[in-house]
Amino acid sequence: MTFGEKLFKLRKEKGFSQEALAEKLNTTRQAISKWENNQGYPETEKLLMLSNIFELSVDDLLKENTGSLSSNENGYYVSKECAEGFLSFHKKNNEAYGCGCCNHGVRRRSLLSFY
């Protein structure tokens, strides 16, 4: 989805006309139309304002994606290999620190760091 398509969709979801959104951004209706038709991009200041109005990051506004746009989505998608590596790393670190009731785990961690 292009920036213009996102802007159009988000504007409609919030119930703003081009004129109403333009007033909020201190710009013209023609500028909004230009952005929605992928004929240009807003200035950085306007991007920040759009981000606040639509409660999305500037990154989410600008990145082209093929999926649907949802401001309610949370989380990240990672590969299986990446997830397994992350879990393996943290499992090793947890084992190295032991139970926390004595220095046994810290000593083990110190010895492991030399290898």
Side-chain angles (χ1 to χ4, degrees):
M1 186 180 297
T2 66
F3 169 75
E5 292 168 335
K6 288 181 192 178
L7 181 59
F8 177 81
K9 181 178 180 182
L10 290 166
R11 180 177 62 78
K12 289 292 186 178
E13 286 176 359
K14 289 277 187 177
F16 294 136
S17 65
Q18 286 183 340
E19 292 168 354
L21 183 57
E23 283 180 28
K24 287 185 171 289
L25 298 173
N26 299 318
T27 192
T28 64
R29 180 200 59 77
Q30 289 84 356
I32 303 295
S33 176
K34 181 179 170 182
W35 302 337
E36 288 182 350
N37 289 307
N38 296 308
Q39 296 175 351
Y41 288 92
E43 300 166 347
T44 306
E45 176 187 347
K46 307 289 187 218
L47 283 171
L48 292 171
M49 293 169 75
L50 285 167
S51 173
N52 288 330
I53 290 169
F54 296 122
E55 300 172 352
L56 287 174
S57 69
V58 173
D59 199 38
D60 287 339
L61 283 172
L62 292 177
K63 278 188 176 177
E64 289 192 20
N65 59 16
T66 55
S68 62
L69 178 67
S70 172
S71 58
N72 295 330
E73 276 187 32
N74 292 320
Y76 297 94
Y77 293 97
V78 296
S79 69
K80 181 179 177 184
E81 293 82 12
C82 183
E84 288 172 347
F86 176 84
L87 293 172
S88 174
F89 172 79
H90 284 284
K91 182 178 179 185
K92 287 177 185 175
N93 280 345
N94 287 339
E95 288 174 1
Y97 286 106
C99 64
C101 63
C102 61
N103 289 333
H104 172 74
V106 175
R107 190 169 46 244
R108 183 175 170 202
R109 173 79 170 138
S110 300
L111 292 173
L112 289 175
S113 65
F114 288 105
Y115 294 107

